[in-house]
C-alpha cells in the first residue's frame, strides 16, 4: 500500500462511516524473516497456535527475533462484530533469524 492509497482509504472511510480517523498513521515496515500461521477460531485459543509456531521455529533451526525493532504481530482478517467466534481468522506472525 502506498501513502496515496492509504490517504484515499482514510478519506473514504471517514466520509462513509462518519469516523474520526485523524490519529490513524501510515507506517512502512521492513518485516524481515518471519514465521506466520493462520489461526481460525477464538482469540482465547491463540496460545495453542503460538506454541505450534514456536515448535516449527525450533524444528527449522531458527531463533525468535523479538526486540525493540521487531515485534510479534497479529493481523485480524475478520470483523469480530460480524463473524462467529469459531470462524474468526487471524494471522499470527513472529520474527525469526537464522541461528
Amino acid at each position: 500500500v502506498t501513502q496515496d492509497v492509504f490517504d484515499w482509504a482514510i478519506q473514504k472511510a471517514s466520509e462513509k462511516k462518519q469516523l474520526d480517523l485523524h490519529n490513524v498513521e501510515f507506517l512502512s515496515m521492513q518485516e524481515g524473516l518471519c514465521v506466520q500461521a493462520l489461526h481460525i477460531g477464538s482469540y482465547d485459543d491463540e496460545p495453542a497456535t503460538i506454541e505450534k509456531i514456536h515448535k516449527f521455529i525450533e524444528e527449522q533451526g531458527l531463533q525468535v527475533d523479538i526486540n525493540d525493532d521487531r515485534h510479534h504481530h497479529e493481523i485480524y482478517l475478520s470483523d469480530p462484530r460480524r463473524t462467529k467466534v469459531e470462524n474468526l481468522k487471524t494471522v499470527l506472525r513472529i520474527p525469526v533469524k537464522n541461528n
Side-chain angles (χ1 to χ4, degrees):
V1 172
T2 64
Q3 182 73 51
D4 291 340
V5 172
F6 174 80
D7 292 341
W8 172 84
I10 290 296
Q11 178 186 354
K12 292 297 179 184
S14 296
E15 293 169 0
K16 184 177 179 182
K17 300 291 185 176
Q18 299 296 306
L19 298 173
D20 178 9
L21 301 174
H22 78 277
N23 286 331
V24 177
E25 297 179 72
F26 177 81
L27 301 173
S28 179
M29 299 171 46
Q30 297 297 325
E31 189 73 61
L33 187 61
C34 292
V35 172
Q36 68 181 23
L38 176 63
H39 173 80
I40 300 174
S42 171
Y43 302 137
D44 293 336
D45 298 333
E46 287 180 4
T49 303
I50 295 290
E51 187 176 316
K52 290 177 185 177
I53 292 172
H54 280 277
K55 183 178 179 185
F56 177 83
I57 290 169
E58 184 179 320
E59 289 170 351
Q60 298 303 308
L62 299 169
Q63 183 178 348
V64 173
D65 188 25
I66 294 176
N67 56 48
D68 289 343
D69 297 318
R70 303 192 72 209
H71 309 278
H72 162 99
H73 293 243
E74 296 186 4
I75 303 168
Y76 303 101
L77 302 176
S78 306
D79 182 345
R81 298 169 296 179
R82 298 181 177 172
T83 307
K84 292 180 181 179
V85 171
E86 61 270 17
N87 295 331
L88 291 171
K89 293 181 180 149
T90 309
V91 174
L92 303 176
R93 183 179 291 164
I94 297 179
V96 296
K97 61 184 176 182
N98 291 309
N99 269 336

